[in-house]
Each structure stands twice: as structure tokens, then as C-alpha cells.
Amino acid sequence: MSAKLAALQERQHQLQVQAGRERKAFAANFEPWEKPLSWADKGVDAYHFLKSNPLLWTSAFAALAHYKPKLASKVLAVGWGVMKLLRGTKKLL
């Protein structure tokens, strides 16, 4: 039984060393992607915040429409186009 236990402990040690090497290799390959992915993560967080607070973005658009109506109409047209594009893409997936 102790020979089996010693073999298991040796195997565990080998796997831990291998996992450490793989972690270091992954970290080295991941480093260039870290900043762009953090920006993408911030964008996703902002999207979820705006999605959960519709009064905020509705008020912001109302203020924009009041002070800059031409810009608001352009924003509305672009937003409507993006919504149609996203819905079409969603149906394809």
C-alpha cells in the first residue's frame, strides 16, 4: 500500500510541476491580449449597466433630442439600423 501511495504522490508532484509550466506558458501568450480583453470586459459591463437602467439612457437621449435635434435624429437612425442588424444576426445564429 505504501508503494502505491508513494507512486501517487510522485505522480501528483509531476502533475503540479507540469501545471506550473503550462500556467507560465499561458500567461506569456496571454499578455498581449490582456489590455484589449479588459477594454472589452469594460464595454460588456457598460452594456449591462445601461440595459439595467433604461431611464438613464432614455433621459440622455431626450436631452440630446432637446439640445441637438439633428444629431439625435442621426443617432436614432444609426441605432435603429444597428438594432435591425443585431436582430438579423441573432436569427442566423
Side-chain angles (χ1 to χ4, degrees):
M1 183 70 176
S2 72
K4 238 183 180 183
L5 184 60
L8 284 174
Q9 286 178 337
E10 178 60 32
R11 178 71 177 144
Q12 180 184 19
H13 178 69
Q14 290 172 353
L15 290 173
Q16 286 174 343
V17 169
Q18 180 183 353
R21 282 195 309 263
E22 290 175 0
R23 249 186 251 111
K24 286 179 185 175
F26 180 78
N29 291 330
F30 182 74
E31 193 172 341
W33 289 93
E34 191 171 1
K35 191 170 185 175
L37 287 176
S38 73
W39 279 104
D41 190 38
K42 289 176 186 177
V44 169
D45 287 344
Y47 170 76
H48 287 297
F49 176 75
L50 290 174
K51 188 176 178 183
S52 66
N53 295 304
L55 184 63
L56 180 68
W57 53 268
T58 305
S59 301
F61 184 77
L64 179 68
H66 179 71
Y67 291 111
K68 301 276 185 174
K70 287 184 181 180
L71 180 60
S73 67
K74 289 178 185 178
V75 168
L76 185 61
V78 170
W80 188 258
V82 168
M83 289 298 292
K84 286 175 66 176
L85 181 69
L86 288 176
R87 284 187 182 147
T89 306
K90 214 177 201 182
K91 288 179 183 177
L92 290 175
L93 296 176

